[in-house]
Amino acid sequence: MLSIHYFEPIPALRQHISSLYWFEARMPAFADLMRAELGQIRLVVEGQPTSTYGAGHSRAGLRAVLQGPTTAPTHYHATGTLTLFGIGLLPLGWAEILGVPASELADDAVELDTVLPPPVVARLMDALASAPDNESRCRVVCDFLLARLEANRHPACWFTRLADEWLTATPNPQVDALVAASGMSARSVERLTHRLYGASPKLLARKYRALGAAIRLGMGEASNWSEAAGDAFYDQAHFIREFRAFTGLTPARFQAEIAPLTRITMTRRRQLPGLPNLVRIA
């Protein structure tokens, strides 16, 4: 049995959290190919999942997992029952809940208690394991997140609003436009995107250009590569190369073999009102 229950973030968390969900895979084995995505916290209640990143390294056996933003597909798998609570982090959420540069954990994962105080993480995991139902689990996690926000505000929230809008306003974001809108130097903009998004502006533009095309294909808004690509790519070869770099599949295979969790995530996120535009393609 595979199930995932999404929760709408409370108003105080909507600019910080892309998704909150309780995931269960009660089967002999579970495997999924995760496209490039935002940073995540995965609180594993049962099971021992393994993540294998684009560079070839793996992280296994982590319980309270902090995964940085990814710039390539990640293979995620577990043997036996897997249950976890997932927290998708928008760039502002990464800055204000964690307070560490996203670039330090890009395409990698660590135990959450190496970044946050271990007693805080231990209490969170104990409370989550004791929660009797989904609503209780969500309340435990939201209380934890709100406490983190009260303790750690970041001065660059204006920049995340600007960059999020830049990434979603057009299918083909131009780096010069972000620099001009920020009023800062190109070097300063690059430092901020590395800290808050875990990548350079150029790589971010490529990533979200490809993910936007994947959403259009996965949701049936485009029926073929040219409709999905629009005017954002030079030609078909360029589109296929970029699409595969960030999703792990060619457009044709993506349509035919889209991973189960990816399809569920695309659909459920679009059903939640009031979330930032970046969530629609992240």
Side-chain angles (χ1 to χ4, degrees):
M1 181 187 72
L2 178 68
S3 66
I4 184 167
H5 183 95
Y6 275 89
F7 308 90
E8 183 178 355
I10 61 176
L13 294 174
R14 284 180 184 164
Q15 301 304 311
H16 299 81
I17 301 300
S18 65
S19 58
L20 296 168
Y21 59 92
W22 174 251
F23 173 79
E24 296 185 1
R26 300 187 182 277
M27 54 183 64
F30 169 77
D32 204 6
L33 179 65
M34 308 290 195
R35 62 204 170 103
E37 60 184 354
L38 291 164
Q40 296 265 334
I41 296 173
R42 295 189 177 104
L43 307 173
V44 181
V45 176
E46 294 180 85
Q48 289 193 333
T50 298
S51 295
T52 302
Y53 296 92
H57 61 285
S58 295
R59 297 288 180 256
L62 308 184
R63 302 297 294 173
V65 185
L66 173 59
Q67 176 183 278
T70 56
T71 58
T74 303
H75 290 272
Y76 190 78
H77 62 92
T79 300
T81 295
L82 175 64
T83 64
L84 62 86
F85 199 104
I87 306 165
L89 297 169
L90 288 164
L92 181 59
W94 183 281
E96 296 198 333
I97 292 167
L98 301 169
V100 298
S103 56
E104 292 183 1
L105 287 174
D107 296 299
D108 207 349
V110 296
E111 287 279 11
L112 183 60
D113 63 9
T114 64
V115 173
L116 300 184
V120 171
V121 177
R123 287 194 296 270
L124 169 64
M125 295 301 292
D126 288 345
L128 185 62
S130 302
D133 52 41
N134 283 342
E135 286 66 30
S136 300
R137 295 181 185 112
C138 187
R139 187 160 53 250
V140 164
V141 170
C142 286
D143 288 346
F144 157 74
L145 295 172
L146 289 171
R148 289 299 306 165
L149 288 179
E150 289 177 2
N152 185 39
R153 290 292 181 178
H154 194 280
C157 60
W158 68 271
F159 183 78
T160 62
R161 290 194 294 268
L162 180 70
D164 287 358
E165 173 64 21
W166 167 68
L167 286 169
T168 57
T170 170
N172 190 20
Q174 298 297 309
V175 174
D176 289 348
L178 176 62
V179 173
S182 73
M184 299 188 300
S185 68
R187 180 171 294 183
S188 295
V189 168
E190 182 149 353
R191 280 198 298 266
L192 273 177
T193 60
H194 273 288
R195 180 172 183 85
L196 300 171
Y197 293 78
S200 69
K202 183 177 180 180
L203 183 53
L204 284 176
R206 289 177 56 211
K207 173 181 174 178
Y208 285 97
R209 181 177 61 186
L211 294 184
I215 288 288
R216 291 190 287 276
L217 282 177
M219 297 299 295
E221 297 169 3
S223 59
N224 54 55
W225 79 266
S226 60
E227 290 181 3
D231 299 326
F233 300 85
Y234 299 128
D235 52 28
Q236 184 177 11
H238 179 222
F239 175 62
I240 292 173
R241 184 170 63 252
E242 290 288 280
F243 193 97
R244 182 162 48 194
F246 293 99
T247 70
L249 299 169
T250 65
R253 283 191 60 197
F254 184 85
Q255 283 184 289
E257 305 172 19
I258 183 172
L261 194 54
T262 298
R263 186 181 296 278
I264 293 171
T265 299
M266 286 181 180
T267 302
R268 296 289 172 82
R269 282 182 180 174
R270 291 213 163 184
Q271 293 172 347
L272 296 177
L275 293 181
N277 287 337
L278 190 64
V279 178
R280 308 300 175 185
I281 58 175

